[in-house]
Amino acid sequence: MTARLLSSVSPQADVVERLVGDAVASRIAECDPTLWPRAARPGWVVAPRTSRPLVGQIEALREQLRVAGQVRVVLAAAGGVGVAAEALSDADPRLIVLDTTDPAQVADALAGDLAATVLVVSVPPGEDPAPVQLVRDTVHRAFRADGLDPDEHTVVVTAPGGPLQEQAGAATVVLGPSDVDGLWAALTAFALVPAGLAGTDVGAVLADAVAARAALAADDPANPCLTLGALLAAAPVVALAEDGAPGLAEWAAQLLGGGLGKDGRGPLPVVVEGPDAPEWADPESVRPGTLTAGLGEVPGAAVTTVGPPAAQLVLWQHATAVAAHLMGVDPTDRPDSDRGPAGQNGGSTPGAGAHFTDGDVDVHAGAWLPTGTSTVAEALRALVGTAEAGAHLTVHAYLDRLDDASAAVLRPELTRRTGLPTTFGWAPRCLPGGGQRDKGGPADAVVCQLTGDAEPDLPGELAELQQAQARADAEALAERGLPVLRLHFTDRVAGLVTLARAVQQL
């Protein structure tokens, strides 16, 4: 994976030497909690080793399910473990991730062969289980409608004593650790079980992770996590592009957002389409021969991390922890919803009723929207006009990331036409923790939410929850003083066409 850190920063030898002198790398490997103001859940550090007993358990369960004809894995997940499972499984088509309550995407998953399907329910500690529970109940109704016993087609991955364990009934339960959180649980049962049941060699994954972790524990200037961590702590924008590792850039962006985005601070991670993206700005990529060779003397601020996906996951976790140490923040802690600093953009909560309708798009906004605005293009221009120096545009799409994939194509065009770094994510998948309200920063953002009606024959309770999630996130963002524009598509296809035309008019 290639990362372009958009600033004038370069690896500062004195910073790396200070990290070496303070034994930061070895102290991380030893789970030293004094490196950060508070280490909420440090179990990620030893996960590659403590997860070893899972290898035989997952292999036996996979064989049991294979004999029963269950070779298709539908993962109902929260907290970023779905993204991690995709990265570890190399986007194996046997793994279908539902980290959304979008009714159309859930319906697509249920359109497959249910008799050949196993539902994996995975919620790491600290996550709200309610959305996953609703998806689970929807899938279970589909199993029953096909004459299948849900318990025979369900695997629950949860921390001990959680509500999911209590509700598991006769379903298979795999216990994960209680001292990991969200994206930091990538190398625990929460992501390894679904990836392994879909065919990933979990033993090889953990072997790669253990080898990488050993190299990253060295208090040596050549340790790549120290150089990368120093870069991350200093860069305002980090553009991430994949080099043949599906899902890794998205996972890393979420890790940086949740791990370093605290109290209105932290780099802005942007997943870009490749070196042609406007954020890339003539990178000078450095491609070391192996992961443990380090990042080398990086002349600019473009680095490439290479190696097996699990090794790169470990590198980015350790580098993020190093950056958090330099920034004085807690990488696994989450700020409370009211701790984010209020911005200066006069944000206010979008009301329940639309300000106006433009074709198949209902437009919702706060008091920042000028009176007389009557088109989506005008609303977008007004949103961008609230942006102050150093701000960015973020787009959260509460839609079907498969059928509505054309929405993501607009990201680079929005950057070119607005002049603002633009992030795009499928919500709530892209929002660490319970949503953007738990992220905490960077603070200088203008926000565009995309939501849409579902077909009448799809599960109504999923649509209601999805809209409620979007409204809750919009309210929390507005309470932080951020302007939020919500574009609701009463017809998704037509609405996306209207949006695309509006972007062309910016």
Side-chain angles (χ1 to χ4, degrees):
M1 183 178 67
T2 303
R4 174 68 171 171
L5 294 89
L6 300 185
S7 72
S8 60
V9 302
S10 60
Q12 299 298 316
D14 57 337
V15 176
V16 174
E17 288 294 342
R18 174 159 53 89
L19 292 169
V20 172
D22 292 342
V24 169
S26 60
R27 288 166 64 193
I28 290 176
E30 294 166 0
C31 297
D32 182 351
T34 65
L35 285 167
W36 310 281
R38 174 174 175 263
R41 293 187 173 95
W44 65 272
V45 177
V46 295
R49 176 174 53 81
T50 58
S51 293
R52 284 294 304 174
L54 287 170
V55 175
Q57 186 178 3
I58 291 174
E59 289 178 349
L61 181 56
R62 181 172 61 206
E63 178 61 16
Q64 175 186 330
L65 294 171
R66 186 194 66 78
V67 171
Q70 298 173 26
V71 295
R72 177 176 180 261
V73 178
V74 172
L75 170 61
V81 294
V83 185
E86 286 181 340
L88 292 173
S89 67
D90 197 24
D92 193 308
R94 291 173 292 184
L95 177 65
I96 300 167
V97 176
L98 293 178
D99 44 11
T100 177
T101 55
D102 185 81
Q105 194 168 331
V106 174
D108 286 343
L110 296 179
D113 184 355
L114 293 182
T117 299
V118 57
L119 172 68
V120 178
V121 180
S122 180
V123 181
E127 305 297 335
D128 179 9
V132 174
Q133 289 167 320
L134 183 54
V135 172
R136 175 204 61 194
D137 293 345
T138 302
V139 177
H140 280 186
R141 284 196 296 271
F143 281 147
R144 293 189 188 97
D146 267 22
L148 302 171
D149 183 348
D151 286 344
E152 296 178 358
H153 287 258
T154 301
V155 175
V156 177
V157 188
T158 182
L164 291 177
Q165 184 179 15
E166 297 173 0
Q167 301 165 9
T172 300
V173 175
V174 179
L175 294 178
S178 58
D179 59 350
V180 295
D181 181 21
L183 294 147
W184 299 91
L187 293 167
T188 70
F190 297 102
L192 292 174
V193 168
L197 295 184
T200 299
D201 186 339
V202 174
V205 164
L206 292 176
D208 291 337
V210 168
R213 179 178 178 272
L216 297 173
D219 293 313
D220 187 309
N223 185 336
C225 80
L226 299 180
T227 300
L228 182 55
L231 281 167
L232 295 173
V237 178
V238 179
L240 298 154
E242 292 175 353
D243 291 334
L248 187 57
E250 184 181 7
W251 175 87
Q254 293 190 29
L255 182 75
L256 296 180
L260 303 179
K262 315 285 185 177
D263 301 322
R265 303 171 56 208
L268 173 69
V270 184
V271 178
V272 300
E273 298 71 25
D276 293 333
E279 288 87 354
W280 204 252
D282 300 323
E284 296 179 16
S285 294
V286 173
R287 299 176 182 272
T290 65
L291 178 74
T292 56
L295 299 177
E297 293 299 324
V298 185
V303 298
T304 297
T305 61
V306 297
Q312 295 197 55
L313 292 181
V314 172
L315 169 59
W316 282 89
Q317 285 181 332
H318 280 252
T320 301
V322 170
H325 168 71
L326 291 171
M327 293 169 58
V329 299
D330 307 309
T332 63
D333 192 19
R334 296 182 188 167
D336 296 330
S337 60
D338 59 353
R339 272 173 50 191
Q344 304 299 316
N345 292 320
S348 58
T349 304
H355 274 65
F356 64 88
T357 297
D358 181 3
D360 295 284
V361 183
D362 291 338
V363 178
H364 303 252
W368 56 267
L369 187 71
T371 302
T373 305
S374 60
T375 68
V376 172
E378 291 174 353
L380 283 172
R381 279 196 291 270
L383 178 69
V384 172
T386 66
E388 299 178 348
H392 67 278
L393 170 64
T394 184
V395 180
H396 300 159
Y398 293 80
L399 299 169
D400 183 340
R401 65 186 176 99
L402 303 178
D403 290 347
D404 300 324
S406 61
V409 178
L410 299 174
R411 193 211 66 80
E413 192 65 19
L414 282 166
T415 297
R416 293 186 185 96
R417 291 183 176 269
T418 66
L420 300 175
T422 301
T423 68
F424 177 94
W426 300 102
R429 173 186 175 97
C430 66
L431 309 178
Q436 180 73 19
R437 58 185 176 275
D438 293 328
K439 181 177 173 182
D444 298 326
V446 295
V447 183
C448 180
Q449 286 188 337
L450 307 179
T451 59
D453 282 349
E455 296 295 330
D457 59 339
L458 296 177
E461 62 270 27
L462 289 175
E464 292 173 4
L465 178 56
Q466 185 182 43
Q467 299 306 312
Q469 288 174 312
R471 288 193 298 270
D473 283 322
E475 290 169 0
L477 288 162
E479 288 171 1
R480 290 176 52 209
L482 304 182
V484 181
L485 173 67
R486 181 161 70 94
L487 305 178
H488 183 80
F489 306 144
T490 54
D491 180 290
R492 294 195 181 192
V493 175
L496 285 169
V497 171
T498 298
L499 174 59
R501 289 173 178 167
V503 171
Q504 295 299 319
Q505 298 172 34
L506 293 177

